[in-house]
Amino acid sequence: MTMATASDHPVDLQSSDFETFFRILRLPQRPAEIAAATEKLKASKVERDKVQSQHQEAGKLLANQKLGEAPSVTHSDVDALGAQIAPAIAAEEKAQAEYDRLLSEYSSNIVTGLQDPLQRYQEAIQAKIEELTMVLSLGAVLHTESVAARVKLPSKVPALCTHVMGQIAAARTILNSANR
């Protein structure tokens, strides 16, 4: 695979490491069961909110009724609506537990499946960092020699190599801290 950079110089990304990691460092698609559990959880939350709102509204209507007028709601109406709250909460809790269980299983399978590939990925990164450090050290040595010889090189790249090596050392430290 060849990609063009902004300056239209091709960058060759063809390598077995890249292709392997491109293929294996993927999350599997979420199972349809999780989507169904998500919808069930949303519906149960909506139902609980609806039941609670109806109960609150009925309670307000009851409290604000004027004596001597026909009642628009009775205590038994409010109690009946209140009795629907516990089952609605229980249904939401059950839906939440099922969603959490399915998501936990999905996550657990991903973590287990990616442990080895991620270890190999980190090792590949470390190997590339070491390789790049060796290449950059050639430029740093050339720069040091050219300064000592008072020769102006036709490129500033060797002069930057020491700085870049420092940045790479910082990146190496950050990557190594991922294992702690």
Side-chain angles (χ1 to χ4, degrees), residues 58 61-77:
L61 285 173
L62 181 65
N64 292 328
Q65 287 186 123
K66 294 183 182 171
L67 296 175
E69 293 183 6
S72 59
V73 67
T74 66
H75 283 282
S76 62
D77 294 335

Side-chain angles (χ1 to χ4, degrees), residues 136-148 151 153 158-159:
L136 288 168
S137 68
L138 297 174
V141 168
L142 177 63
H143 173 69
T144 301
E145 289 174 350
S146 71
V147 168
V151 173
L153 297 174

Side-chain angles (χ1 to χ4, degrees), residues 24-52:
I24 65 175
L25 294 179
R26 300 282 182 189
L27 296 183
Q29 189 172 13
R30 278 184 163 196
E33 293 85 10
I34 292 178
T38 300
E39 291 306 312
K40 189 172 183 178
L41 179 58
K42 286 178 186 176
S44 68
K45 287 178 186 258
V46 167
E47 180 62 23
R48 183 207 20 95
D49 285 343
K50 182 181 107 182
V51 169
Q52 286 178 325

Side-chain angles (χ1 to χ4, degrees), residues 127-143 157-158 160-162 164-165 168 172:
K128 295 296 182 185
I129 286 174
E130 291 306 317
E131 183 180 339
L132 183 57
T133 300
M134 290 185 340
V135 170
L136 288 168
S137 68
L138 297 174
V141 168
L142 177 63
H143 173 69
V157 171
L160 300 174
C161 287
T162 302
V164 173
M165 287 171 60
I168 289 174
R172 181 185 297 119

